[in-house]
Amino acid sequence: ASRCGVGHVKGSNITDASSAREAGIAAAKQATYCQVPDLIVMCAAPGWEEHIVSGINHVCPGVRIFGGSAGNDSLVGGAETPPWQLHGSLAGWGATSGGVVILAVWHTEASMVHSVLSHCYGPTSHKGTVTWAEGRVIFEIDGKPAGNALL
């Protein structure tokens, strides 16, 4: 890369859809100094990603965004330990809990960008259709409680 920049917003500043969009705007401005990059990498706490992306797109229209949600057991067991994100630069390092961190990248002609997704999940033979969901919560798959449907 010829240049990169980092922006972040603390989770305590993200309380609803509007503040999530504003967080996306603030993080993008901080990372880019309002100069459109070639690529943005995003790591955000679950729940407001679409609104954060909307804010990033306001500052950097049309720029590809790679990444998405940070997650941990709070996705299953509650918000006692919300996901956290590391951020840093030559100016220093830090961490935020429940917020968003973005990396803006400007590449050169010689740059080659590769992405790798690594996680502990793999394909299975189980299949199903969501039959009851509200927002991001799936309650039933094929008419059965979601927690039991694909076991």
Side-chain angles (χ1 to χ4, degrees):
S2 66
R3 179 176 156 214
C4 62
V6 177
H8 70 280
V9 173
K10 294 179 182 180
S12 59
N13 295 334
I14 303 173
T15 58
D16 58 19
S18 177
S19 62
R21 185 172 190 278
E22 290 302 316
I25 290 170
K29 286 181 176 179
Q30 185 181 17
T32 66
Y33 294 97
C34 296
Q35 296 179 17
V36 178
D38 297 306
L39 171 71
I40 290 177
V41 180
M42 178 181 92
C43 184
W48 304 109
E49 298 93 324
E50 293 86 356
H51 303 286
I52 292 169
V53 167
S54 172
I56 294 169
N57 282 330
H58 179 77
V59 177
C60 304
V63 173
R64 291 185 176 125
I65 300 172
F66 177 80
S69 303
N72 64 13
D73 289 342
S74 71
L75 298 175
V76 175
E80 297 83 30
T81 56
W84 48 269
Q85 304 83 32
L86 296 174
H87 57 86
S89 67
L90 294 175
W93 291 87
T96 185
S97 180
V100 59
V101 174
I102 69 168
L103 170 69
V105 179
W106 291 261
H107 62 78
T108 65
E109 279 189 34
S111 297
M112 294 187 350
V113 177
H114 301 274
S115 63
V116 175
L117 175 62
S118 177
H119 52 74
C120 62
Y121 302 106
T124 72
S125 61
H126 299 290
K127 296 182 189 266
T129 301
V130 174
T131 52
W132 176 31
E134 293 179 17
R136 293 175 159 224
V137 179
I138 298 173
F139 292 98
E140 287 183 359
I141 299 173
D142 293 333
K144 301 174 188 171
N148 300 328
L150 302 178
L151 297 178

